[in-house]
Amino acid sequence: MNNSSWFSQISFKQKIWLFSILAGILVIMAFGLFLSPPGELKETANFNIGMSIQNIAPKLGVTSKGLARELNLPLNISKNKPLNSLGVTGEELHHAVEHILSHRDSKFKYYIYVVLALWGFLFLVRLGRPDGSDIKNRRNWYPRTPYIISLLFSVIVAGFLLGKSPNPMEAIVKVFKSMVGLYPDPMAKVAAFAFFIILAIIGNKIICGWVCPFGALQELVYSIPILRKIKKRKLLFVFTNTIRICLFIVMLLFMFGIIGGRRGFVIYHYLNPFNLFNLDFETFSIVLTVIIALLVSSIAYRPFCQFICPFGLISWIAERFSIFRVQIDKEKCVQCGICIKACPLEAVEGRVNRKRLPADCFSCARCLNVCPNDALKYTTIFKK
Ligand code: SF4
Ligand code: SF4
């Protein structure tokens, strides 16, 4: 796709939009930097095993139970005894503290997420398709270059520069962790989750398609133009979604101690690919998850999102309420199937065939410039 022709095709009004957004983004970033310097996560704490759990936990922003869980101690262990009397070594304490600190949210990163979502949203709704452009020029609509740049920005800035937290996957897990008493501020965790899910609802899963750093990394690998024949074969949604749902149920059963007997145990912890952004591979299963997800991404669309991610699952449910999304004009659609081929999932197929629960749509825009009858648009549900 020719990017320069896209820019020359967009109207003066759309160019003004574009520059206003860029200026707005710069202002938001400057404001975010002022409020919360990225260095805040570098804070270190000077704790030792002569101290008790209840001395240390509040300083780390977790409950005593939360620290006990990190130290692999029973949640009901005595919280006022020195840690060395509970058999905790200095190394174990150091590891637990590092791990808890790595999960502290960077406020600045929330601004970056807003900026990326806003940019993706405006690209899909306003900028991707030049005003009044003829359907014959549709191949110039929604050029890939701005999307790829946006994904790279997400991986580099929201991922490697700002570290793993906050991220959508952890946001939902932290809500459940606070429900079993591992965090002292359940409402703050609910608010963080609400932040992500609201963005997912405004623009259909836009937080996954345009913002999430690990989603972006998988999307970039998938976009490498190799193994195209294999990529044409899609994973069966009923299969991937069943695994994702089962994993979520198993997570809840472990989390609430219904199986395993260790309340607060988080299975996603062992599959968390966001650790990549802190270069923190604390278990072999995490290394394996990252390697497999990225390798499989070269032949299948976002395997981690499709098979594992709990936020992927919840935001798939939330797609029913999305305000802006890919809409199909039933009167113009002749069911030729061109958009179905363009979509890397069964998402557009489910919509064309009017399925009640179609596959996740990541708002990737691949289907938006292929329809010869102009039957597909990314628009509000109020405008059919
Ligand atoms: S589903 Fe994928 S893109 Fe969405 S939060 Fe999970 S890892 Fe990120
Ligand atoms: S190609 Fe599929 S996933 Fe991408 S925007 Fe279209 S329907 Fe959604």
Side-chain angles (χ1 to χ4, degrees), residues 180-202:
V180 294
L182 304 190
Y183 284 111
D185 48 357
M187 284 325 289
K189 303 302 176 222
V190 171
F193 171 65
F195 168 85
F196 289 110
I197 207 72
I198 287 169
L199 287 183
I201 288 175
I202 293 173

Side-chain angles (χ1 to χ4, degrees), residues 128-162:
R129 180 177 169 156
D131 274 347
S133 167
D134 195 280
I135 185 74
K136 280 186 252 146
N137 295 323
R138 65 184 181 280
R139 290 287 168 186
N140 290 327
W141 299 351
Y142 301 98
R144 301 304 289 169
T145 312
Y147 187 40
I148 298 293
I149 291 171
S150 180
L151 296 170
L152 280 170
F153 184 84
S154 168
V155 172
I156 294 167
V157 179
F160 287 107
L161 282 182
L162 293 173

